[in-house]
Amino acid sequence: MTGGLASIRLACTCPADAIRWACVLEATAPKAGNVYPGRDFEDLSYLDFVTAAELAASAFDPRPSSFSHGVLEACGRTAERLGTNVNLGILLLLGPLVQTDAAAGESPLNRAQWRDRVVACLDSLTAEDADRLYAAINVAAPGGMGQSDEMDLSGPPPEDFLAAMRHAVSRDRIAKNYADGFADFFHHVVPLVHQSLIDEGDWMGGLTLAHLRLLAAAPDTLIARKFGEDVAREVQRRARFDHRDGEQREAFDRYLRTGTLDRQGQSSRINPGTTADLIAAAVYVLLREAV
């Protein structure tokens, strides 16, 4: 185990501990275009992310009967405490992972086992789970999450939550992972984050590098929803530079923070938030999987 994983894994004696560590580590890494210490947004601070991490951990401790309870509870507590959407994407990704992890008890899962059991977890979702997950989405009120002719993720929930996710696949990478049983996450995201930690040899450098590599590999779907596909593709193009060149990294960060016009014609920073959410979830798996 490299990149400091081993020492932090020892501190993660339960899923709630791993939620705290995964969320705080992701938020602390100096990732381009995101909040981190010393780089707050005007409406969102690093402290907000640390607070949201604790609220998320407490919502899953003790483990709820279904992860949808934990997601809704965490979204509600976060909205009440912070008045903003801090971690909806992270919670939707962590939910099935935490339920699968907790159900394994004292026997850590390897990556293949985890993927198979996440698929079973998603397949077991009920109409009541859909109600709770839709309620969580409405509490968080994510911009552009899913207006479409076939399905509106902010509207009345269907009985089949995965059906709604399948309709949102083209607009949201988190929905894509629900629809494909987290195949993208386990086959691409987790290995890339793990390899980046190995390549850098430390948490902060590794997660920062992973963020850039993911942005260079595929458009961030939060950017695409807020600004359009052309901007998302331009961010992907600009992310394809020498990631070890500090000046180029700073220039890329400035470009994202300077922003452009969103779909409503208002100037806004370009926040690659979905990519950050995927990293937080990958860190959770790396902290809890069998080694």
Side-chain angles (χ1 to χ4, degrees):
M1 187 65 69
T2 59
L5 270 171
S7 59
I8 298 178
R9 284 185 94 255
L10 291 175
C12 296
T13 58
C14 65
D17 289 339
I19 292 171
R20 292 184 181 93
W21 274 105
C23 293
V24 171
L25 285 167
E26 181 276 315
T28 305
K31 305 180 310 303
N34 288 128
V35 169
Y36 56 83
R39 295 286 180 94
D40 292 345
F41 296 158
E42 63 274 8
D43 59 347
L44 196 60
S45 72
Y46 172 69
L47 180 58
D48 290 336
F49 280 91
V50 175
T51 301
E54 181 59 34
L55 294 173
S58 64
F60 283 92
D61 187 19
R63 175 172 69 99
S65 58
S66 170
F67 76 84
S68 62
H69 288 280
V71 171
L72 178 56
E73 180 70 17
C75 281
R77 292 180 186 180
T78 301
E80 181 179 357
R81 179 80 171 270
L82 302 176
T84 187
N85 169 27
V86 177
N87 57 356
L88 172 65
I90 292 174
L91 289 167
L92 288 173
L93 289 166
L94 283 180
L97 299 173
V98 172
Q99 181 166 320
T100 300
D101 179 19
E106 298 299 317
S107 302
L109 303 172
N110 63 41
R111 213 166 288 174
Q113 291 172 322
W114 213 322
R115 165 80 202 290
D116 289 343
R117 297 189 191 187
V118 164
V119 170
C121 173
L122 295 176
D123 286 342
S124 71
L125 289 173
T126 66
E128 289 74 22
D129 290 312
D131 285 342
R132 287 187 286 268
L133 293 170
Y134 262 52
I137 290 170
N138 280 314
V139 166
M145 177 68 179
Q147 299 286 338
S148 76
D149 291 339
E150 300 110 336
M151 192 69 66
D152 179 358
L153 293 183
S154 63
E159 291 190 2
D160 185 350
F161 187 72
L162 294 186
M165 294 293 99
R166 285 190 286 271
H167 283 294
V169 161
S170 64
R171 302 187 305 284
D172 187 80
R173 194 168 180 180
I174 296 171
K176 170 182 170 61
N177 275 285
Y178 270 75
D180 71 8
F182 276 47
D184 166 57
F185 176 74
F186 282 109
H187 293 165
H188 302 294
V189 178
V190 176
L192 184 149
V193 173
H194 194 186
Q195 187 60 51
S196 296
L197 290 172
I198 293 171
D199 291 345
E200 288 296 287
D202 71 90
W203 274 106
M204 296 300 98
L207 297 184
T208 302
L209 177 60
H211 188 246
L212 292 170
R213 285 174 169 174
L214 284 169
L215 285 174
D220 184 277
T221 53
L222 176 61
I223 294 175
R225 290 201 311 276
K226 289 185 66 176
F227 298 96
E229 189 67 27
D230 288 346
V231 173
R233 292 287 182 188
E234 175 64 11
V235 170
Q236 180 187 15
R237 185 190 68 80
R238 287 176 180 250
R240 291 171 174 165
F241 61 87
D242 179 358
H243 295 151
R244 300 190 187 280
D245 186 318
E247 290 187 3
Q248 290 190 67
R249 284 164 67 155
E250 281 297 310
F252 182 60
D253 185 57
R254 285 195 301 272
Y255 157 70
L256 294 174
R257 293 179 193 279
T258 299
T260 187
L261 296 180
D262 62 20
R263 288 182 181 272
Q264 283 69 49
Q266 302 196 359
S267 180
S268 179
R269 63 184 175 272
I270 303 172
N271 173 21
T274 299
T275 303
D277 295 341
L278 289 162
I279 287 175
V283 172
Y284 181 90
V285 169
L286 293 174
L287 291 174
R288 293 291 291 171
E289 70 180 349
V291 294

